Amino acid sequence: MRTLADVAVVLALAAYAIPFFWQLLTSFKPEAELLRVPPLLPSRLTLAHYHVVISQSLIPRALGNSLGIATLTTLVSLAAGVPAAYAVARLPLPGKRLLLLAIVASTAFPQIATVSPLYLLMRALELRDTWAGLVLVHASFALPLTIWLLAGFVREIPIEAEEAASVDGAGLVAMLRWVLLPLLAPGLASTALLTFLFSWNEFLFAYTFTVSEASRTIPVALALFPGVFEVPWGDIAAASMLASLPPVVIVIALQRFLVQGLVAGAVKE
Amino acid sequence: MTGREAAARRHALVCVAPTVLALGALTVYPGIWVLWLSLQRRIPIFDVSRFAGFENYAFLAVDPRFWSAAHTTAVFTLGSVALEVVLGVAAALAINAQRRGRRVALSLLLLAWAMPAVVGAKLFEWLYHPAAGLINVALGRHSINWLGDPVVALPAVILADVWRTMPFVAILCYARLLAIPADVYEAAQVDGAGRLATLTRITLPLLGRILLLAVLFRTLDALRAFDIMFVLTGGGPAGTTETLTVYAYRALFQTLQLGFGSAVSVIVFALVMTVAWAYLRLLRTGTVAA
């Protein structure tokens, strides 16, 4: 009875994921069978759509842009976020309450509110259609959550390590680099992956601040996927699968952390 | 103040300097600039740029398209958040009741949440295809034009949004369920509480606060949702899926009215902040009562 119920839950959730699996199947369907349903299952599977997407579209370029922009966003956001989180969690920071309030408030901030001034700013600084422009915007947008998460991880580290370092007379940078960072590694990895995920998936800023394939990220390229006479459903399906591969891998890898982090939050409240 | 304390404060300021600089330049400054922009009439292609006071807001007050977008935003937010909460709690309870296979169940659930909203939109665009879409096929060869019919387009967009974001609510609730100690349930059993009584008297009340938090996050996200309708319908058909955010975006970047579009953005901004503030108050009074 119990096993039966367990199987039923898994089946129900598999059914919930049908939109994804249907697109996955579509990406391997021969062109001629796409609009002929039923039958639901194709007569054979083909890599033709992946071939078209990889060799004849701008999707590979967009995947490269997304990889670069999301990686740089993560690095910039951690470089600013780690010291800030340390200061928030451990140091007597003047105006700490104000900064924390700003961090909480900015997580509620709608992107649409700043997109018009940022557009003017990007144009004035000639950062439109560059990686740098998008990295700056993504990193600053991700920063509040990065600091929030990291400050939580810093608080879990026993304070003795830092005290020992300060007795040794290690400078601030040396302490952050050699004492804090190694102890912070697991939390840092999770935070990094979430920041990467945010930048990879972000659409509004990426759509507004990019103009050409020089900086278009994967969600933008997918939204603008061209069709000449009719919509190339199979190619779009293949491109969608390529676009969701990194986020899906990250989230499934982070599953344990996501739930545990939330349990900790739930217990604390 | 000792030298040591002064050094610690100095260190603290150095540590937050890059953050304060970044947030100042790219969040706070644009946040103030947008207020200023919203008071202007600014249409770069016609070389129009002048101070307009509250003209843009006065126009919005009598703009039927604005009120229609406000209505759509309200329906979208209420509809998607309500569905997400019901389905999310159900999914969390189901996974929590599992003895085996939780990892697989969670992975299947998180699949939808992981992907970019644009991919979610593309998935549903294909499912809603009038002739070959899985939904019409499953309904037995009806050819409902889900995204082209003004009556069903908004529910169709809501459904696509619920699919992708419900797992967030489910995971939050599931995490809270994990944190309930087993002896709470054992005590209930000793007292002879049935399954239904355990659910309504113990489990659901314990979920209360986390649900309120989930509703807060999801409401804020729904109010500022953009990707899903922009890609699925572009606000159509006949403007029936045009939310305030989509209206603001189209005014800003399709008709290039920077001042007017900014005014609509400011309204979204104010709306989101008011809702956040109201919820946080509710959450705080909740703590006092509990």
Side-chain angles (χ1 to χ4, degrees):
Chain A
M1 236 356 251
R2 279 235 77 97
T3 319
L4 210 63
D6 290 354
V7 172
V9 172
V10 171
L11 284 180
L13 287 167
Y16 191 76
I18 280 178
F20 175 82
F21 293 125
W22 181 240
Q23 190 84 317
L24 183 66
L25 185 67
T26 302
S27 73
F28 291 112
K29 262 189 183 180
E31 187 69 37
E33 295 176 27
L34 285 178
L35 296 177
R36 255 197 351 242
V37 263
L40 294 179
L41 294 178
S43 60
R44 64 190 174 84
L45 298 178
T46 168
L47 286 172
H49 300 301
Y50 286 93
H51 191 245
V52 170
V53 165
I54 288 168
S55 63
Q56 292 164 35
S57 79
L58 294 171
I59 292 293
R61 185 73 195 266
L63 286 167
N65 287 335
S66 274
L67 190 67
I69 289 169
T71 307
L72 289 171
T73 295
T74 308
L75 290 176
V76 171
S77 159
L78 288 182
V82 170
Y86 176 70
V88 163
R90 290 282 209 254
L91 296 177
L93 176 69
K96 189 186 280 188
R97 285 181 65 92
L98 189 68
L99 185 69
L100 282 174
L101 188 71
I103 286 173
V104 173
S106 58
T107 52
F109 217 77
Q111 283 176 297
I112 192 74
T114 51
V115 73
S116 52
L118 283 176
Y119 173 81
L120 294 175
L121 195 67
M122 290 284 135
R123 213 175 51 175
L125 298 174
E126 292 181 7
L127 285 173
R128 274 181 79 205
D129 210 22
T130 65
W131 281 23
L134 214 47
V135 167
L136 280 177
V137 169
H138 278 180
S140 71
F141 211 79
L143 204 47
L145 186 66
T146 307
I147 295 173
W148 192 259
L149 291 171
L150 286 174
F153 291 120
V154 171
R155 287 194 191 98
E156 284 169 16
I157 297 176
I159 202 157
E160 290 77 19
E162 293 146 44
E163 282 168 352
S166 80
V167 170
D168 288 350
L172 177 66
V173 175
M175 198 287 295
L176 287 177
R177 169 68 190 84
W178 300 109
V179 181
L180 192 71
L181 269 192
L183 291 170
L184 202 57
L188 204 62
S190 319
T191 310
L193 287 173
L194 284 178
T195 309
F196 185 94
L197 196 68
F198 155 76
S199 174
W200 182 277
N201 290 358
E202 198 281 327
F203 178 66
L204 205 161
F205 286 154
Y207 186 73
T208 312
F209 303 140
T210 60
V211 183
S212 72
E213 70 271 16
S215 68
R216 263 184 199 147
T217 58
I218 186 69
V220 182
L222 191 62
L224 296 172
F225 199 89
V228 186
F229 298 111
E230 47 199 39
V231 183
W233 295 108
D235 300 348
I236 289 177
S240 307
M241 289 303 114
L242 295 176
S244 33
L245 194 63
V248 165
V249 169
I250 287 175
V251 166
I252 292 186
L254 271 188
Q255 196 194 88
R256 187 177 298 234
F257 156 76
L258 278 173
V259 175
Q260 276 174 353
L262 291 170
V263 172
V267 175
K268 245 182 266 165
E269 50 135 341
Chain B
M1 194 187 297
T2 65
R4 215 187 145 101
E5 277 167 21
R9 284 173 72 105
R10 209 165 49 239
H11 280 169
L13 289 173
V14 171
C15 283
V16 295
T19 296
V20 170
L21 206 67
L23 290 183
L26 297 168
T27 305
V28 177
Y29 173 54
I32 295 167
W33 192 354
V34 75
L35 298 176
W36 173 240
L37 271 176
S38 77
L39 300 179
Q40 298 189 41
R41 193 167 160 77
R42 214 162 151 158
I43 309 171
I45 44 168
F46 296 129
D47 223 11
V48 174
S49 180
R50 64 174 176 81
F51 185 75
F54 288 94
E55 262 175 42
N56 290 325
Y57 293 101
F59 178 79
L60 280 179
V62 293
D63 175 16
R65 190 170 160 192
F66 171 78
W67 290 107
S68 155
H71 180 251
T72 305
T73 306
V75 173
F76 175 82
T77 303
L78 289 175
S80 65
V81 174
L83 273 173
E84 281 160 23
V85 165
V86 173
L87 289 173
V89 170
L93 289 173
I95 296 176
N96 193 48
Q98 273 186 298
R99 291 285 152 96
R100 293 175 54 192
R102 284 188 185 196
R103 266 193 79 90
V104 183
L106 284 172
S107 298
L108 284 168
L109 189 67
L110 285 168
L111 206 54
W113 182 73
M115 60 188 53
V118 175
V119 172
K122 287 293 172 192
L123 258 55
F124 276 81
E125 196 180 359
W126 180 224
L127 289 177
Y128 287 140
H129 190 283
L134 196 57
I135 293 181
N136 275 348
V137 172
L139 290 177
R141 284 266 152 228
H142 287 289
S143 49
I144 301 173
N145 188 357
W146 293 98
L147 301 173
D149 183 332
V151 178
V152 290
L154 185 56
V157 170
I158 290 176
L159 195 68
D161 185 63
V162 167
W163 180 77
R164 206 183 62 84
T165 47
M166 174 282 264
F168 174 77
V169 179
I171 294 292
L172 268 180
C173 292
Y174 172 66
R176 179 69 186 97
L177 290 176
L178 283 185
I180 299 175
D183 51 11
V184 172
Y185 289 112
E186 281 156 19
Q189 229 163 23
V190 170
D191 292 346
R195 283 176 105 178
L196 188 68
T198 313
L199 179 68
T200 54
R201 300 276 173 79
I202 298 176
T203 313
L204 291 182
L206 280 172
L207 277 180
R209 263 179 68 76
I210 201 82
L211 261 181
L212 208 57
L213 211 61
V215 168
L216 165 66
F217 287 138
R218 286 303 316 140
T219 308
L220 296 181
D221 271 348
L223 283 174
R224 57 195 166 173
F226 172 75
D227 311 10
I228 194 87
M229 49 284 264
F230 191 74
V231 176
L232 257 186
T233 59
T240 46
T241 61
E242 186 173 81
T243 56
L244 287 172
T245 303
V246 174
Y247 186 25
Y249 195 87
R250 291 170 86 177
L252 285 172
F253 298 108
Q254 287 177 356
T255 54
L256 296 170
Q257 298 166 281
L258 281 184
F260 177 69
S262 295
V264 184
S265 314
V266 168
I267 303 276
V268 177
F269 192 9
L271 192 65
V272 168
M273 286 301 168
T274 310
V275 169
W277 178 79
Y279 265 111
L280 287 178
R281 276 193 62 116
L282 197 66
L283 222 60
R284 205 172 301 155
T285 38
T287 328
V288 176

